[in-house]
């Protein structure tokens, strides 16, 4: 990890995070996360000169992508958690309806509405209830889909454990020990996009980095994955807004 490195272009500079991966066998790769963060992945034997050459070669592209990402987030409004506001679930849009009473009824979908009963109209109180509901739905849905992928993917012998963690930089990750971490915000995305993220993380059980063989594995299991990734990258500001 290197937090003091920068990419320079046209008199401007951007910080980037360097990940040195001992399991990586392919060349230096540069990624711009949906929120605009820049990450450089390098194999352990890459020299500082190799890294700097790779960074310099793609500097113009990096600044362009970071600019687009920041433009998307510039127009995001903080959710108010009031009746009439839009909420997303499995790619569909619902209307939030806040009911102020003492009934303590659970949050539930009814028709095109998400009903939330609360004794207080306070934003944080409503947000807490909505997010507790999201996390329960995410846990249960991700578990079911992982079970389905386990049956379909020959390299997955045993379904790996998973946990939920809110992240602003990624939809999921796979630890070196084989635990999958999933962003609960992902439950707002369409079902096929969720499946792509699960497939991506399960493929890391076989290849920890993004070598060409990793993407061939993804291609074989889901030839349409690029469309789903493009949708997620373009919708991140709406999906992660809380």
């Amino acid at each position: 990890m290197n937090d003091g490195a920068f990419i320079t272009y046209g008199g401007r500079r951007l910080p980037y995070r360097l990940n040195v991966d001992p399991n990586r066998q392919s060349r230096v790769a540069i990624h711009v996360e949906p929120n605009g963060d820049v990450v450089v992945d390098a194999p352990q034997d890459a020299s500082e000169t190799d890294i700097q050459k790779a960074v310099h070669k793609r500097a113009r592209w990096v600044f362009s992508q970071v600019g687009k990402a920041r433009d998307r987030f510039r127009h995001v409004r903080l959710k108010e958690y009031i009746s009439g506001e839009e909420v997303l679930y499995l790619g569909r849009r619902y209307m939030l309806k806040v009911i102020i009473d003492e009934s303590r009824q659970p949050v539930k979908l009814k028709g095109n509405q998400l009903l939330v009963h609360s004794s207080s109209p306070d934003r944080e109180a409503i947000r807490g209830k909505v997010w507790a509901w999201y996390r329960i739905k995410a846990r249960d849905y991700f578990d079911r889909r992982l079970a389905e992928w386990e049956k379909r993917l020959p390299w997955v012998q045993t379904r790996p454990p998973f946990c939920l963690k809110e992240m602003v930089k990624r939809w999921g990750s796979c630890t070196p020990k084989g635990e999958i971490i999933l962003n609960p915000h992902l439950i707002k995305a369409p079902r096929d996009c969720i499946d792509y993220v699960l497939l991506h993380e399960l493929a890391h059980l076989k290849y920890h980095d993004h070598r060409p063989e990793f993407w061939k594995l993804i291609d074989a299991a889901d030839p349409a994955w690029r469309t789903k990734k493009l949708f997620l990258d373009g919708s991140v500001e709406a999906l992660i807004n809380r």
Side-chain angles (χ1 to χ4, degrees):
M1 179 72 73
N2 184 346
D3 295 319
F6 291 86
I7 296 176
T8 59
Y9 180 77
R12 298 173 294 165
R13 69 177 193 167
L14 282 171
Y16 68 83
R17 187 171 75 252
L18 176 62
N19 291 329
V20 177
D21 187 349
N23 296 313
R24 185 177 182 83
Q25 297 180 358
S26 53
R27 59 186 174 78
V28 175
I30 304 173
H31 312 281
V32 177
E33 302 285 0
N35 70 333
D37 285 355
V38 182
V39 181
V40 176
D41 294 325
Q44 195 167 34
D45 60 354
S47 67
E48 185 174 346
T49 300
D50 293 334
I51 294 170
Q52 288 302 318
K53 283 182 178 179
V55 166
H56 179 73
K57 184 178 180 180
R58 304 205 68 192
R60 180 177 179 180
W61 174 85
V62 168
F63 272 82
S64 173
Q65 296 304 306
V66 169
K68 292 176 182 178
R70 290 179 175 175
D71 283 344
R72 290 197 302 267
F73 273 93
R74 190 171 292 123
H75 303 292
V76 174
R77 294 177 56 189
L78 186 69
K79 295 187 75 65
E80 297 179 74
Y81 291 94
I82 58 176
S83 288
E85 194 169 45
E86 178 185 274
V87 291
L88 297 171
Y89 174 62
L90 292 178
R92 294 188 59 185
R93 301 174 187 275
Y94 295 88
M95 183 183 297
L96 179 64
K97 183 175 181 179
V98 178
I99 303 167
I100 305 302
D101 61 19
E102 302 288 341
S103 67
R104 300 196 180 196
Q105 293 188 43
V107 176
K108 67 177 180 179
L109 287 174
K110 185 176 182 180
N112 68 340
Q113 295 181 325
L114 181 67
L115 306 181
V116 180
H117 292 260
S118 175
S119 60
S120 168
D122 179 71
R123 176 187 182 274
E124 288 304 306
I126 307 302
R127 185 182 68 82
K129 288 178 176 290
V130 171
W131 266 98
W133 178 82
Y134 267 136
R135 291 184 71 89
I136 291 171
K137 291 294 184 181
R139 181 197 63 202
D140 293 345
Y141 185 78
F142 297 164
D143 188 56
R144 293 197 302 271
R145 295 310 302 160
L146 283 170
E148 288 300 314
W149 276 114
E150 179 188 9
K151 300 173 186 176
R152 295 171 54 184
L153 302 177
W155 68 86
V156 180
Q157 303 300 317
T158 303
R159 186 171 9 144
F162 79 95
C163 67
L164 301 178
K165 179 181 179 182
E166 286 191 53
M167 298 176 278
V168 296
K169 299 176 182 178
R170 56 180 63 186
W171 298 114
S173 65
C174 182
T175 71
K177 293 183 178 180
E179 180 184 25
I180 291 178
I181 302 170
L182 296 169
N183 193 332
H185 286 285
L186 186 61
I187 196 63
K188 304 173 191 175
R191 297 170 191 266
D192 59 348
C193 292
I194 295 174
D195 270 354
Y196 159 67
V197 173
L198 299 181
L199 170 63
H200 186 110
E201 301 311 328
L202 288 168
H204 278 310
L205 296 176
K206 188 171 179 67
Y207 299 113
H208 189 65
D209 61 8
H210 293 106
R211 69 187 70 177
E213 291 82 2
F214 171 88
W215 296 112
K216 289 178 182 177
L217 209 62
I218 298 289
D219 270 323
D222 182 8
W225 68 268
R226 292 171 182 81
T227 301
K228 298 161 190 176
K229 182 180 184 303
L230 188 63
F231 176 88
L232 285 171
D233 289 348
S235 306
V236 64
E237 70 279 7
L239 296 174
I240 292 185
N241 185 15
R242 59 165 301 170

